[in-house]
Amino acid sequence: MEWVKPLGGIGEHAAAAVEPAQLDAIDLRLLLLLSQDARISQRSLARELGMSAPAVADRIARLHRQGVIEGYGVRLNWSALGYPTIAYLTVTAGQGFEQGTIMTKLAELPEVEEVMIVTGGVDMLVRVRVRDHTHLRELLIDGVWQIEGVQRTETSLSVAENKPKNTASELLADMIRRTEQG
């Protein structure tokens, strides 16, 4: 029998260690403005930063090349789309099963927002978005519990949550404050 490394396949899911990009105060202000409104025009950014639009375009292109900007997105009101329920699943993998494979299979389920391998008494934490408890039951029975290697799950329902905060803006504003303080 060949020994399977339970954590052998998680490398492709783990964030690669990278050197932080060297950013100046203008880069940080530019990122802050984009984090507050990703649809802001380059002309408006230039005006806010006291630069020319081509100079702003060059900075944005450099930030893309450096991997600082990975993309742009939209925040949706999931309740308005009929998916008001958030549940968290803790998943324990069976002995001898590769967690990276299980992680990949979980992430393929449309309702799954995030899958993280965690430390502690369980192997994975999974955030799912469903319509209601019937949808959650179907997801567990027809999806999660059908994945080879899933030994055990526990489900927690979210009963209340804060409006999602703009973590990017908050962290960038903090970085700017620390840069200005020296």
Side-chain angles (χ1 to χ4, degrees), residues 111-126:
E111 298 88 348
V112 171
E113 292 185 327
E114 297 182 273
V115 182
M116 296 165 280
I117 291 182
V118 296
T119 61
V122 297
D123 296 318
M124 290 169 230
L125 180 62
V126 182

Side-chain angles (χ1 to χ4, degrees), residues 68-182:
V68 173
I69 297 175
E70 292 185 335
Y72 303 87
V74 61
R75 282 191 294 269
L76 300 174
N77 178 341
W78 284 106
S79 292
L81 291 168
Y83 285 79
T85 305
I86 297 171
Y88 294 91
L89 311 176
T90 58
V91 177
T92 302
Q95 186 171 1
F97 287 94
E98 192 174 292
Q99 291 183 27
T101 302
I102 296 170
M103 189 178 195
T104 298
K105 294 290 185 192
L106 286 165
E108 290 172 355
L109 298 171
E111 298 88 348
V112 171
E113 292 185 327
E114 297 182 273
V115 182
M116 296 165 280
I117 291 182
V118 296
T119 61
V122 297
D123 296 318
M124 290 169 230
L125 180 62
V126 182
R127 178 182 163 117
V128 300
R129 185 165 294 276
V130 293
R131 292 182 301 276
D132 52 32
H133 76 280
T134 301
H135 185 191
L136 176 61
R137 183 178 61 238
E138 291 167 356
L139 172 65
L140 290 170
I141 293 170
D142 299 332
V144 175
W145 294 342
Q146 297 304 312
I147 296 171
E148 187 177 15
V150 171
Q151 176 182 349
R152 180 172 181 272
T153 64
E154 288 189 23
T155 304
S156 299
L157 292 175
S158 173
V159 294
E161 62 184 77
N162 284 336
K163 180 181 175 189
K165 69 178 193 170
N166 189 336
T167 307
S169 288
E170 290 186 23
L171 287 175
L172 287 162
D174 185 60
M175 291 172 73
I176 291 168
R177 272 192 300 278
R178 286 187 282 126
T179 301
E180 291 170 351
Q181 291 174 352

